[in-house]
Protein backbone atom coordinates (compact mmCIF):
# COMPACT_ATOMS: atom_id res chain seq x y z
CA UNK A 1 0.00 0.00 0.00
CA UNK A 2 1.79 3.12 -1.27
CA UNK A 3 1.33 6.63 0.05
CA UNK A 4 2.04 9.55 -2.29
CA UNK A 5 2.95 13.08 -1.30
CA UNK A 6 2.94 15.66 -4.09
CA UNK A 7 5.40 18.23 -2.73
CA UNK A 8 4.75 21.47 -4.66
CA UNK A 9 6.89 24.59 -4.65
CA UNK A 10 4.72 27.69 -4.72
CA UNK A 11 4.16 29.29 -8.10
CA UNK A 12 5.80 32.52 -9.31
CA UNK A 13 5.37 35.27 -6.72
CA UNK A 14 6.09 38.99 -6.80
CA UNK A 15 9.76 39.88 -6.35
CA UNK A 16 11.05 40.35 -2.81
CA UNK A 17 12.74 43.53 -4.09
CA UNK A 18 9.42 45.03 -5.13
CA UNK A 19 7.68 43.93 -1.95
CA UNK A 20 10.02 45.99 0.24
CA UNK A 21 8.61 47.18 3.57
CA UNK A 22 5.70 44.75 3.63
CA UNK A 23 5.57 41.37 5.38
CA UNK A 24 7.08 38.70 3.13
CA UNK A 25 4.48 36.23 4.45
CA UNK A 26 1.87 38.24 2.54
CA UNK A 27 3.72 38.39 -0.79
CA UNK A 28 1.25 37.15 -3.43
CA UNK A 29 1.54 35.35 -6.73
CA UNK A 30 2.01 37.25 -9.97
CA UNK A 31 -0.37 36.82 -12.91
CA UNK A 32 2.08 34.23 -14.27
CA UNK A 33 1.99 32.49 -10.88
CA UNK A 34 -1.81 32.42 -10.93
CA UNK A 35 -1.68 30.81 -14.38
CA UNK A 36 0.82 28.25 -13.03
CA UNK A 37 -1.45 27.48 -10.07
CA UNK A 38 -4.43 26.82 -12.37
CA UNK A 39 -2.29 24.55 -14.58
CA UNK A 40 -0.98 22.74 -11.50
CA UNK A 41 -4.56 22.19 -10.32
CA UNK A 42 -5.43 20.53 -13.64
CA UNK A 43 -2.31 18.32 -13.54
CA UNK A 44 -2.79 17.26 -9.93
CA UNK A 45 -6.54 16.72 -10.23
CA UNK A 46 -6.06 14.42 -13.24
CA UNK A 47 -4.16 11.86 -11.13
CA UNK A 48 -5.28 9.59 -8.31
CA UNK A 49 -7.81 11.05 -5.84
CA UNK A 50 -6.38 13.54 -3.36
CA UNK A 51 -7.14 12.89 0.31
CA UNK A 52 -5.85 16.16 1.80
CA UNK A 53 -4.21 19.49 0.97
CA UNK A 54 -1.52 20.98 3.21
CA UNK A 55 0.19 24.33 2.77
CA UNK A 56 2.68 26.69 4.25
CA UNK A 57 0.66 29.51 5.84
CA UNK A 58 2.39 32.03 3.56
CA UNK A 59 0.07 33.71 1.04
CA UNK A 60 1.94 32.57 -2.07
CA UNK A 61 1.65 28.89 -1.07
CA UNK A 62 -2.03 29.13 -0.18
CA UNK A 63 -2.72 30.90 -3.48
CA UNK A 64 -0.84 28.17 -5.35
CA UNK A 65 -3.27 25.57 -3.99
CA UNK A 66 -6.44 27.71 -4.22
CA UNK A 67 -7.51 26.51 -7.70
CA UNK A 68 -7.03 22.87 -6.68
CA UNK A 69 -8.85 23.46 -3.38
CA UNK A 70 -11.74 25.07 -5.27
CA UNK A 71 -11.91 22.10 -7.65
CA UNK A 72 -11.95 19.65 -4.74
CA UNK A 73 -14.32 21.75 -2.61
CA UNK A 74 -11.92 21.82 0.36
CA UNK A 75 -9.48 24.17 2.07
CA UNK A 76 -5.76 23.58 2.47
CA UNK A 77 -4.69 22.88 6.04
CA UNK A 78 -2.00 25.35 7.07
CA UNK A 79 1.17 23.76 8.45
CA UNK A 80 3.85 26.00 9.98
CA UNK A 81 6.55 23.39 9.30
CA UNK A 82 6.04 23.91 5.56
CA UNK A 83 6.71 27.64 5.90
CA UNK A 84 9.89 29.62 5.74
CA UNK A 85 11.42 30.73 9.02
CA UNK A 86 12.24 34.28 9.99
CA UNK A 87 14.89 33.25 12.49
CA UNK A 88 16.64 29.95 13.06
CA UNK A 89 16.44 28.49 16.57
CA UNK A 90 19.78 26.66 16.19
CA UNK A 91 23.13 28.28 15.39
CA UNK A 92 26.54 27.08 14.25
CA UNK A 93 28.56 30.08 13.17
CA UNK A 94 26.28 30.88 10.24
CA UNK A 95 26.90 27.69 8.25
CA UNK A 96 24.19 27.26 5.62
CA UNK A 97 24.08 23.49 6.07
CA UNK A 98 22.72 23.94 9.60
CA UNK A 99 19.75 25.86 8.25
CA UNK A 100 19.10 23.18 5.64
CA UNK A 101 19.42 20.40 8.20
CA UNK A 102 16.99 22.12 10.56
CA UNK A 103 14.44 22.89 7.81
CA UNK A 104 14.67 19.35 6.42
CA UNK A 105 14.42 17.74 9.84
CA UNK A 106 11.40 19.79 10.78
CA UNK A 107 9.65 19.03 7.47
CA UNK A 108 10.49 15.31 7.48
CA UNK A 109 8.66 15.04 10.81
CA UNK A 110 5.59 16.39 9.00
CA UNK A 111 6.09 13.89 6.14
CA UNK A 112 6.37 10.99 8.59
CA UNK A 113 3.10 12.06 10.29
CA UNK A 114 1.33 12.37 6.92
CA UNK A 115 2.54 8.96 5.75
CA UNK A 116 1.24 7.43 9.00
CA UNK A 117 -2.11 9.23 8.91
CA UNK A 118 -2.81 8.86 5.16
CA UNK A 119 -1.41 5.40 4.43
CA UNK A 120 -2.28 4.27 0.92
CA UNK A 121 -3.58 7.72 -0.06
CA UNK A 122 -2.35 10.75 -2.01
CA UNK A 123 -1.87 14.17 -0.46
CA UNK A 124 -0.61 17.50 -1.79
CA UNK A 125 1.63 19.83 0.22
CA UNK A 126 2.86 23.27 -0.88
CA UNK A 127 6.06 24.78 0.47
CA UNK A 128 9.08 26.93 -0.40
CA UNK A 129 12.36 26.78 -2.32
CA UNK A 130 14.46 26.37 0.81
CA UNK A 131 12.27 23.78 2.56
CA UNK A 132 11.65 21.42 -0.37
CA UNK A 133 15.28 20.70 -1.34
CA UNK A 134 16.22 20.22 2.33
CA UNK A 135 13.31 17.83 2.86
CA UNK A 136 13.88 15.84 -0.34
CA UNK A 137 17.63 15.57 0.34
CA UNK A 138 16.96 14.29 3.85
CA UNK A 139 14.36 11.73 2.73
CA UNK A 140 16.36 10.37 -0.21
CA UNK A 141 19.49 10.22 1.94
CA UNK A 142 17.68 8.49 4.78
CA UNK A 143 16.00 5.97 2.49
CA UNK A 144 18.90 5.37 0.09
CA UNK A 145 17.43 6.67 -3.18
CA UNK A 146 19.67 7.58 -6.10
CA UNK A 147 18.56 11.20 -6.54
CA UNK A 148 21.31 13.69 -7.35
CA UNK A 149 19.36 16.91 -7.93
CA UNK A 150 16.87 18.23 -5.38
CA UNK A 151 16.31 21.67 -6.90
CA UNK A 152 12.68 22.57 -7.48
CA UNK A 153 11.63 25.48 -9.68
CA UNK A 154 8.64 27.67 -8.78
CA UNK A 155 5.52 25.75 -9.72
CA UNK A 156 7.47 22.48 -9.93
CA UNK A 157 6.98 19.51 -7.65
CA UNK A 158 8.39 16.25 -6.37
CA UNK A 159 6.21 13.16 -6.22
CA UNK A 160 7.38 11.22 -3.16
CA UNK A 161 6.14 7.63 -3.03
CA UNK A 162 6.30 5.74 0.26
CA UNK A 163 5.96 2.04 0.98
CA UNK A 164 5.16 1.95 4.67
CA UNK A 165 7.47 4.62 6.13
CA UNK A 166 10.21 4.30 3.49
CA UNK A 167 10.42 6.59 0.46
CA UNK A 168 10.82 4.31 -2.56
CA UNK A 169 10.67 6.93 -5.31
CA UNK A 170 11.20 10.69 -5.68
CA UNK A 171 10.31 12.03 -9.11
CA UNK A 172 10.67 15.68 -10.11
CA UNK A 173 8.06 17.35 -12.33
CA UNK A 174 8.96 20.74 -13.83
CA UNK A 175 6.48 23.63 -13.67
CA UNK A 176 3.53 23.34 -16.04
CA UNK A 177 3.69 25.28 -19.31
Amino acid sequence: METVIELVRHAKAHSRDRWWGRPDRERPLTDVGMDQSRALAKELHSGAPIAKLFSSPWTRCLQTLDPLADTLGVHAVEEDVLGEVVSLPVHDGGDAWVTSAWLGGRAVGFVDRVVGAYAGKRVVACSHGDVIPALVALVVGRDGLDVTDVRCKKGGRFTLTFSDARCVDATYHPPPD
Side-chain angles (χ1 to χ4, degrees), residues 39-104:
L40 272 166
K42 287 180 184 173
E43 281 184 12
L44 291 167
H45 186 64
S46 69
I50 297 168
K52 197 78 165 183
L53 299 180
F54 295 98
S55 178
S56 157
W58 296 52
T59 298
R60 55 192 174 269
C61 287
L62 290 164
Q63 286 182 324
T64 298
L65 292 186
D66 277 347
L68 181 59
D70 289 347
T71 299
L72 298 174
V74 299
H75 294 286
V77 175
E78 295 180 26
E79 286 285 339
D80 286 336
V81 299
L82 294 173
E84 292 183 329
V85 291
V86 177
S87 63
L88 190 64
V90 295
H91 302 281
D92 185 32
D95 291 328
W97 70 269
V98 173
T99 301
S100 294
W102 187 82
L103 286 170

Side-chain angles (χ1 to χ4, degrees), residues 1-77:
M1 178 164 56
E2 293 184 331
T3 305
V4 174
I5 298 176
E6 300 285 358
L7 188 58
V8 177
R9 182 174 177 192
H10 67 77
K12 177 88 172 125
H14 285 274
S15 169
R16 289 180 199 267
D17 296 342
R18 295 196 175 144
W19 196 251
W20 188 255
R22 294 175 272 185
D24 191 47
R25 290 178 69 99
E26 297 171 10
R27 189 162 45 97
L29 297 181
T30 63
D31 289 343
V32 170
M34 293 303 294
D35 290 342
Q36 281 182 316
S37 69
R38 286 187 285 274
L40 272 166
K42 287 180 184 173
E43 281 184 12
L44 291 167
H45 186 64
S46 69
I50 297 168
K52 197 78 165 183
L53 299 180
F54 295 98
S55 178
S56 157
W58 296 52
T59 298
R60 55 192 174 269
C61 287
L62 290 164
Q63 286 182 324
T64 298
L65 292 186
D66 277 347
L68 181 59
D70 289 347
T71 299
L72 298 174
V74 299
H75 294 286
V77 175

